[in-house]
Amino acid sequence: MPPVLDEARLHAFVGKMLGDLGGAMSVPTVRIGMRLGLFDALNAGPATAGELAQRAGGLHERYVREWALAQAANGYVDFDADRDAFSLSAEQAMVFSNRDSPVYLAGAFELVAAMIEAEAKVEECFRHGKGIRWGDHAGCLFCATGAFFRPGYVNNIVQSWIPALDGMEARLRSGARVADVGCGVGFSTLLMARAYPESRFVGFDFHQPSIEEARRHAQEHGLGERVRFEVAKAKEIAEDGFDLVTMYDCLHDMGDPLGCAAHMRRILATDGTWMIVEPIAGDRPADNMNPVGRLYYNASTMICVPTSLDQEVGAGLGAQAGEARLAQIVRDGGFASVRRATEGPFNMVLEAR
């Protein structure tokens, strides 16, 4: 017998879907606004469409007006109907204009676009069970991923994550050897290097284009003498004796996280620490039925699981593996203790010794 239709629930569900579809349709217009500097121009002060078009470098007024009305309907900018003018509130600027804000989300919109670009490839993975090589997902997934994580790293690595590790901040200030494994384009590595000038850093990643980009960043920031970037799989890093190994949002992407854990134990100094930053998640799927879990499960379907299944072993942990499962993998890799050192709305930080 088919379920009885509840009209009130149907209307509520359709209302939710309208909100979701509106958010999805905002992705291309937000990306255009970011690239053309429209949010930044609006952050300078209220403007009519004509004023905004000129402020952004002489853009076409008709397009700018429609774009601004779309963002006002999104709730992303404010609209003064009496003055026919648009403005950006302090809160909206934190998301769309202030690049060092902890909630600057330009990278999130780029990540969504990369996920859509790779849709057909991921669909094929559902059919044959294989994976997608990290560099083959979309045009610049690694760039989008770096931009997505950067605000969290800028506002947390030095301020709260490293200080939460037992005695590590003092060691870094006096001079330590650090390996940043899965460093991507190097944002995390360079943030640590700037904060701890007495220490030396090596960033490792298996993706050659990411390492090339990281090397460019190191030269641009004048950190080339204290920071190196090397192409290497996590289980094949030949150097050892590191006082600190960091892994930012990448252990769950690895094909063989257990083998990786065992190798991290080998490359650490005897009294060294492994810091593992992972997406926040409960240990049961039911614990993750929330807005953050929604983001991570969708990203995991399109990026994390295909990336892991492309590699040897193909554990496919996914972005919502949870602390209990991750901690067991770390212990099975040879570490005596694992604890949650700190957490935030989007990440948990595990300390392994």
Side-chain angles (χ1 to χ4, degrees):
M1 183 174 178
V4 177
L5 181 67
D6 185 320
E7 291 288 343
R9 290 184 65 186
L10 174 62
H11 292 157
F13 184 63
V14 170
K16 167 186 161 49
M17 293 308 303
L18 288 174
D20 288 353
L21 289 169
M25 289 183 178
S26 75
V27 171
T29 61
V30 167
R31 294 178 72 218
I32 288 171
M34 292 287 189
R35 288 195 298 271
L36 295 180
L38 285 163
F39 287 106
D40 290 339
L42 203 53
N43 196 30
T48 64
E51 291 166 345
L52 181 57
Q54 289 304 308
R55 197 183 290 172
L59 300 176
H60 193 284
E61 180 180 344
R62 182 66 188 91
Y63 280 106
V64 170
R65 178 173 176 77
E66 204 72 1
W67 175 89
L69 288 169
Q71 303 322 306
N74 286 335
Y76 298 167
V77 308
D78 292 334
F79 177 52
D80 184 334
D82 294 333
R83 293 187 58 243
D84 197 29
F86 304 90
S87 61
L88 203 64
S89 70
E91 297 77 19
Q92 291 162 344
M94 289 280 283
V95 172
F96 293 111
S97 186
N98 298 342
R99 284 157 178 75
D100 286 339
S101 156
V103 290
Y104 180 65
L105 292 178
F109 286 88
E110 294 302 317
L111 195 61
V112 171
M115 288 165 60
I116 293 170
E117 183 181 340
E119 179 184 327
K121 295 178 181 178
V122 176
E123 182 178 338
E124 280 304 302
C125 291
F126 276 71
R127 302 181 194 281
H128 55 57
K130 297 180 182 178
I132 304 173
R133 189 168 301 173
W134 174 245
D136 293 344
H137 279 261
C140 195
L141 174 63
F142 64 95
C143 301
T145 302
F148 174 71
F149 284 124
R150 181 184 177 277
Y153 296 166
V154 166
N155 288 277
N156 288 289
I157 289 178
V158 175
Q159 296 89 334
S160 58
W161 293 349
I162 287 177
L165 304 177
D166 188 16
M168 184 50 63
E169 188 171 38
R171 293 177 68 176
L172 288 168
R173 294 198 183 284
S174 62
R177 293 187 66 228
V178 181
D180 189 12
V181 179
C183 66
V185 295
F187 289 142
S188 53
T189 322
L190 297 175
L191 283 167
M192 292 188 291
R194 281 200 299 268
Y196 305 109
E198 299 302 317
S199 293
R200 298 294 181 266
F201 298 82
V202 187
F204 297 99
D205 201 283
F206 73 160
H207 187 232
Q208 176 78 41
S210 290
I211 289 297
E212 291 172 357
E213 186 72 12
R215 287 169 177 166
R216 283 194 290 271
H217 289 155
Q219 292 303 317
E220 289 170 4
H221 291 283
L223 294 169
E225 292 185 1
R226 293 193 297 107
V227 181
R228 287 187 290 114
F229 289 101
E230 306 293 345
V231 178
K233 295 180 179 179
K235 295 195 302 182
E236 297 175 3
I237 295 171
E239 301 178 46
D240 58 18
F242 291 103
D243 301 295
L244 173 66
V245 171
T246 59
M247 233 181 238
Y248 295 99
D249 292 291
C250 63
L251 181 62
H252 67 272
D253 291 321
M254 295 183 179
D256 182 13
L258 175 57
C260 172
H263 194 66
M264 295 307 102
R265 182 67 191 88
R266 286 191 285 272
I267 70 173
L268 271 173
T270 303
D271 59 348
T273 296
W274 181 18
M275 181 173 79
I276 308 147
V277 178
E278 280 285 300
I280 194 77
D283 292 323
R284 303 178 306 142
D287 298 332
N288 303 321
M289 298 296 113
N290 54 57
V292 174
R294 180 187 185 188
L295 293 177
Y296 281 139
Y297 274 128
N298 279 286
S300 189
T301 301
M302 299 300 294
I303 301 170
C304 307
V305 169
T307 295
S308 177
L309 294 184
D310 176 69
Q311 303 169 57
E312 62 174 333
V313 181
L317 285 179
Q320 296 286 269
E323 180 181 358
R325 190 173 182 190
L326 291 167
Q328 189 60 55
I329 288 170
V330 172
R331 291 189 187 95
D332 289 346
F335 286 83
S337 66
V338 187
R339 72 177 181 98
R340 185 181 295 205
T342 188
E343 64 182 58
F346 301 107
N347 290 97
M348 57 181 164
V349 179
L350 305 181
E351 178 189 61
R353 306 186 70 170

